[in-house]
Amino acid sequence: MSSVRRRTVLGAAAAASALAGLPTAASAAPTTPSANKPLALPGGGDLGPNVIVFDPSTGGIQARLDQIFAQQETAQFGTGRYQLLFKPGTYSGLNAQLGFYTSISGLGLSPDDTTINGDITVDAGWFNGNATQNFWRSAENLALVPVSGTNRWAVAQAAPFRRMHVRGSLNLSPNGYGWASGGYIADSRIDGQVQPYSQQQWYTRDSAIGSWLNGVWNMVFSGVQGAPAQGFPNPVYTTLATTPVSREKPFLYLNGTEYRVFLPEKRTNASGVTWGNGTPRGTSLSLSQFYVAKPGVTAATLNQALTQGLHLLLTPGIYHLDQPIQVNRANTVVLGLGYATLVPDNGVTALKTADVDGVRLAGFLIDAGTINSNTLLEVGPSGTTTDHSANPTTVQDVFVRIGGAGAGKATTSMVINNRHTIIDHTWLWRADHGTGIGWDTNRADYGLVVNGADVLATGLFVEHFNKYDVQWNGERGRTIFFQNEKAYDAPNQAAIQNGSIKGYAAYKVGDNVTVHEGWGLGSYCYYNVAPTIVQHNGFAAPNRSGVKFHDLLVVSLGGQGQYERVINETGSPTSGTSTIPSTVVSYP
């Protein structure tokens, strides 16, 4: 999200034995190539040193959890990556505090197969009670019985809470109710109350909750049983009864002693969790059908595995790529554990897919390299029009970072060309803090560009790009929840000038688009380098009946820059330093 200076304006607004039980199949390291062609790569194998597996009989679990947290608590731009896996059973007396690049998951087919009598905690003591930089951590496929009755999950962007069962309540704010700016929940059941308190915006999808306490600016729900009624702008709830299309993220689980990856089936007009009535619906793949990748492997080897017909499981760590990972086969799965991170070198694209059905990309981070990449992720080739409605590609918990861990550049972060693609939770971030940052140092003009038709985004977070954060050219696109901040570091008004228009909209629908719809979209400005900058609007779209928006807002954070309008020429300007949203309930 942002720098410490920006935070000050927000207060008023609201074990060695741990690897026991892993398969002992042959290592997934590449075999020596012959003179003529490479030998076949093996599937399966061990999951590497940064995947820590516990079972209820494991000793020293809390000490191991504490050790990893101590290493990762403040390592916002560090190189450590960890996946914590809990075998089915019951665990008691644990408090798993999660730091950066740490994922915790159960290994059952249902969350209720793995119960922790204790807590999975995200708090912000490391940052003086400010949770707005609690990025890159996740919880998945576990049941929790919180010690106090309420579990604390005070996160910001890129911190999904998926397929969880909280047998109690869930507090989304840090201790002391400090600033918070998240977040995302999907396929989860919270028996008690969800308590956002200071969370400025949040998206919850296909879940069930006991109740919801409050909202600051932008609380969006689709397919959530127990969600509050539609009320935007007061109260700040955008509520859709169902989610038009959804397909849950693939996940690793144990079938006896065999590791498998479950692939949930697509749902249409869904509500509630997928796992509430016994075995979830879908198919599964043996780990032997995956190339289990370890940091240090080359892109050529990853592509060889894909060419052989294997899927990819990216174990935790950092992978440097000198050529794109090329996914050409329908129904290929690329699944990352523990925020496995792809770094494209020499200006290449990190990953490209072909115009095929059913690719599943999930659970990894792309970190831009020092030489500018034209794109970082491309779904489908330019110009494709193939119908993928029966079996779409899904992009889930795939995150992009440009700068922060060092200077990085990319003209466009993510390009979606294939029709019917589902983007289900992404954070595309041109860094505003860390190292290697500056208006031209980590230059990145566009966050998301959608050229394909019939694309759906559920949980879209895109921030700080030099030009359009989102440019949507495809027909019949839909977005449910959008969170944005414009780039803080524009040096002056001229630097953001878009022809005769003051600034580039956060979300721009192409001039030729005839049908588009969005629900619950927000854009904020904080031009702290040049506070006199004026941004004409947060949203720009053709003014025609088929292009519809519901529940829009723009906010000037503490008066550091202003918006003249919300969408096109509609909506009141922001003014002063009050950090009060300007809203539009319906457009046109």
Side-chain angles (χ1 to χ4, degrees):
M1 279 283 285
S2 57
S3 62
V4 177
R5 281 185 291 173
R6 173 261 182 175
R7 306 307 173 190
T8 63
V9 305
L10 294 177
S17 62
L19 297 177
L22 283 174
T24 57
S27 167
T31 55
T32 304
S34 69
N36 297 317
K37 64 177 182 179
L39 297 176
L41 295 166
D46 73 87
L47 298 177
N50 291 336
V51 177
I52 316 299
V53 183
F54 303 105
D55 66 42
S57 66
T58 303
I61 297 177
Q62 186 64 56
R64 189 72 171 105
L65 295 174
D66 291 347
Q67 177 191 21
I68 293 170
F69 177 65
Q71 177 181 318
Q72 298 301 113
E73 181 183 12
T74 63
Q76 181 172 177
F77 299 108
T79 58
R81 304 284 187 275
Y82 291 92
Q83 176 74 57
L84 311 176
L85 296 176
F86 285 75
K87 294 183 180 181
T90 300
Y91 303 77
S92 296
L94 298 181
N95 180 16
Q97 300 183 80
L98 299 188
F100 288 99
Y101 315 108
T102 306
S103 298
I104 187 170
S105 307
L107 285 170
L109 203 50
S110 163
D112 289 327
D113 293 340
T114 311
T115 298
I116 294 178
N117 291 307
D119 294 88
I120 296 176
T121 301
V122 178
D123 207 344
W126 75 278
F127 201 44
N128 299 315
N130 178 341
T132 57
Q133 292 183 25
N134 281 348
F135 315 137
W136 305 307
R137 62 202 77 195
S138 66
E140 186 172 352
N141 201 33
L142 289 160
L144 285 180
V145 184
V147 170
S148 69
T150 300
N151 188 77
R152 186 182 302 280
W153 185 255
V155 298
Q157 288 75 13
F161 196 81
R162 286 186 183 267
R163 200 177 174 76
M164 295 289 289
H165 185 187
V166 181
R167 299 178 196 161
S169 296
L170 187 65
N171 180 348
L172 304 179
S173 72
N175 185 33
Y177 307 100
W179 309 319
S181 186
Y184 175 91
I185 293 171
D187 199 25
S188 294
R189 181 181 299 278
I190 292 88
D191 293 347
Q193 185 177 65
V194 181
Q195 303 163 351
Y197 293 114
S198 54
Q199 280 286 356
Q200 294 154 348
Q201 66 275 318
W202 199 275
Y203 176 53
T204 308
R205 178 183 63 70
D206 294 4
S207 294
I209 62 176
S211 62
W212 190 274
L213 178 64
N214 73 307
V216 176
W217 291 336
N218 190 26
M219 305 280 123
V220 180
F221 310 84
S222 68
V224 179
Q225 298 165 357
Q230 170 72 32
F232 189 90
N234 185 26
V236 293
Y237 302 142
T238 299
T239 303
L240 288 72
T242 61
T243 304
V245 188
S246 54
R247 190 175 69 190
E248 298 305 329
K249 178 187 171 187
F251 62 92
L252 193 66
Y253 75 103
L254 276 173
N255 180 25
T257 60
E258 179 196 18
Y259 282 93
R260 298 186 68 86
V261 173
F262 193 83
L263 307 178
E265 70 173 19
K266 188 188 74 169
R267 299 201 292 172
T268 57
N269 298 318
S271 70
V273 300
T274 64
W275 47 269
N277 296 309
T279 304
R281 299 176 66 91
T283 59
S284 70
L285 299 168
S286 170
L287 190 64
S288 66
Q289 295 174 263
F290 285 77
Y291 178 73
V292 180
K294 311 286 173 56
V297 70
T298 65
T301 299
L302 296 174
N303 284 326
Q304 182 191 341
L306 291 168
T307 300
Q308 279 181 213
L310 294 171
H311 306 272
L312 296 183
L313 186 74
L314 305 173
T315 65
I318 297 173
Y319 298 74
H320 282 268
L321 307 173
D322 60 359
Q323 61 180 267
I325 298 171
Q326 184 67 55
V327 179
N328 294 327
R329 190 180 71 255
N331 301 310
T332 298
V333 180
V334 180
L335 177 61
L337 301 179
Y339 287 82
T341 302
L342 307 178
V343 182
D345 295 326
N346 302 319
V348 303
T349 298
L351 188 149
K352 297 181 178 183
T353 80
D355 183 15
V356 294
D357 274 356
V359 173
R360 303 183 195 226
L361 308 176
F364 55 89
L365 169 65
I366 301 174
D367 207 352
T370 55
I371 297 175
N372 185 75
S373 294
N374 188 45
T375 59
L376 293 175
L377 176 69
E378 293 181 21
V379 177
S382 177
T384 179
T385 60
T386 307
D387 188 320
H388 297 293
S389 56
N391 186 13
T393 287
T394 44
V395 181
Q396 300 178 282
D397 301 348
V398 172
F399 308 117
V400 168
R401 178 175 67 197
I402 301 169
K409 293 185 179 183
T411 303
T412 303
S413 291
M414 184 181 293
V415 179
I416 307 296
N417 292 316
N418 280 359
R419 288 183 64 191
H420 301 102
T421 300
I422 300 170
I423 307 166
D424 178 44
H425 189 225
T426 190
W427 183 39
L428 312 179
W429 185 52
R430 176 181 167 267
D432 60 277
H433 61 271
T435 60
I437 61 167
W439 183 249
D440 291 311
T441 304
N442 61 330
R443 181 83 193 187
D445 285 350
Y446 307 101
L448 172 67
V449 174
V450 179
N451 298 317
D454 306 291
V455 172
L456 170 66
T458 52
L460 181 58
F461 299 73
V462 188
E463 296 189 299
H464 306 314
F465 287 85
N466 295 75
K467 292 184 178 179
Y468 292 124
D469 297 275
V470 173
Q471 168 78 61
W472 204 300
N473 301 316
E475 284 285 3
R476 298 176 300 280
R478 292 175 292 183
T479 294
I480 305 173
F481 182 88
F482 171 69
Q483 184 263 321
N484 165 264
E485 287 180 343
K486 295 302 300 173
Y488 296 165
D489 53 352
N492 48 54
Q493 185 77 45
I496 66 163
Q497 194 69 16
N498 180 14
S500 62
I501 302 170
K502 299 173 185 174
Y504 289 79
Y507 189 108
K508 164 68 173 174
V509 180
D511 294 340
N512 296 324
V513 172
T514 61
V515 177
H516 188 93
E517 195 159 9
W519 297 262
L521 289 74
S523 177
Y524 326 139
C525 73
Y526 183 67
Y527 289 115
N528 61 329
V529 174
T532 59
I533 286 178
V534 174
Q535 174 84 25
H536 182 60
N537 50 32
F539 304 91
N543 186 11
R544 51 178 64 105
S545 61
V547 179
K548 303 175 183 178
F549 287 91
H550 315 272
D551 301 358
L552 302 172
L553 67 94
V554 297
V555 184
S556 168
L557 301 178
Q560 305 293 292
Q562 302 292 344
Y563 293 90
E564 292 179 328
R565 295 288 183 265
V566 179
I567 180 170
N568 293 349
E569 303 306 315
T570 300
S572 300
T574 58
S575 61
T577 60
S578 58
T579 314
I580 296 175
S582 178
T583 61
V584 168
V585 173
S586 182
Y587 183 88

